[in-house]
Amino acid sequence: MQKFSEADMPELWVFGYASLMWRPDFPFVNRMRATLYGYHRALCITSYEHRGTKQRPGLVMGLDRGGSCVGIAFQVAECDRQATMDYLRERELITHVYKEQVGTVRLQNGEKRPAITYVADRGHIQYAGKMDVNTAVTRVNGAVGKAGPNEDYVLNTAAHIRELGIKDHWMEDLERRLRQAMAA
């Protein structure tokens, strides 16, 4: 993976693995299932802005080292390129817990494309690392940030992972236990 450079991207593709899958909020001309190798989706970022506060932090997804991640790749028209990059940087780099990088994704049709990705910075204070499901439920349940309840974020992400046909036992367990905690 490398840092983003205009020269690396004759076409702009953006890889979504969590909320970008279900709420990209930028115009695109193509949307396709894609796999990024070398990173996996993990609930590993402490959220002080979008899904929590400093007083009651939540958790959001990050791309963490190892494995692979199935998500959605969005192709952006050249005329929307700069506005999309400006928007993504404002959305994803708010506290710089993510590193903007170019990774190669394999599209559903077998083609490979360089794509903008936002990878967890393991050295950042908001990097929460790997945790057990019970700890994650406790951190998520009741946290609310500028973008809304943390539970909504986790449940939407779990639903979209399922729609992609991905079996993620940890996320399924998290979803089940979170729904139980919310009902209690």
Side-chain angles (χ1 to χ4, degrees):
M1 234 322 159
Q2 55 195 6
K3 289 192 177 204
F4 175 67
S5 164
E6 287 289 327
D8 298 325
M9 305 285 295
E11 298 176 318
L12 180 60
W13 286 83
V14 177
F15 182 70
Y17 57 91
S19 63
L20 281 176
M21 289 191 302
W22 43 270
R23 193 179 57 84
D25 289 346
F26 57 84
F28 55 89
V29 295
N30 195 359
R31 174 187 187 277
M32 195 176 297
R33 180 183 167 125
T35 304
L36 174 70
Y37 295 95
Y39 292 87
H40 67 281
R41 177 182 11 257
L43 194 63
C44 65
I45 304 293
T46 299
S47 178
Y48 301 136
E49 295 285 333
H50 294 301
R51 298 296 176 164
T53 63
K54 289 271 189 185
Q55 297 75 29
R56 179 62 174 88
L59 287 171
V60 293
M61 299 288 175
L63 287 173
D64 208 355
R65 292 191 302 236
S68 63
C69 180
V70 176
I72 303 293
F74 298 92
Q75 183 182 16
V76 177
E78 186 60 34
C79 63
D80 294 319
R81 183 185 192 114
Q82 191 58 55
T84 297
M85 289 307 304
D86 291 345
Y87 166 74
L88 286 171
R89 288 174 176 149
E90 183 177 318
R91 174 178 169 165
E92 301 297 325
L93 302 179
I94 188 168
T95 64
H96 300 283
V97 67
Y98 297 110
K99 295 178 182 179
E100 181 179 272
Q101 297 182 340
V102 175
T104 301
V105 296
R106 181 181 298 273
L107 302 174
Q108 185 173 342
N109 64 9
E111 295 176 7
K112 291 182 180 179
R113 293 284 188 272
I116 297 296
T117 61
Y118 291 93
V119 174
D121 178 353
R122 287 180 151 220
H124 196 281
I125 193 164
Q126 286 178 255
Y127 177 73
K130 186 175 181 172
M131 65 185 69
D132 64 71
V133 172
N134 290 330
T135 302
V137 167
T138 300
R139 295 273 309 270
V140 169
N141 192 27
V144 179
K146 292 177 188 173
N150 203 179
E151 299 94 340
D152 290 353
Y153 169 87
V154 170
L155 296 175
N156 275 328
T157 301
H160 282 81
I161 290 169
R162 199 169 31 260
E163 283 175 17
L164 288 172
I166 301 166
K167 288 299 272 180
D168 183 329
H169 299 292
W170 193 89
M171 278 298 292
E172 290 167 8
D173 193 21
L174 174 66
E175 180 182 21
R176 183 179 52 76
R177 291 185 194 198
L178 181 57
R179 287 187 188 283
Q180 289 171 348
M182 291 168 63

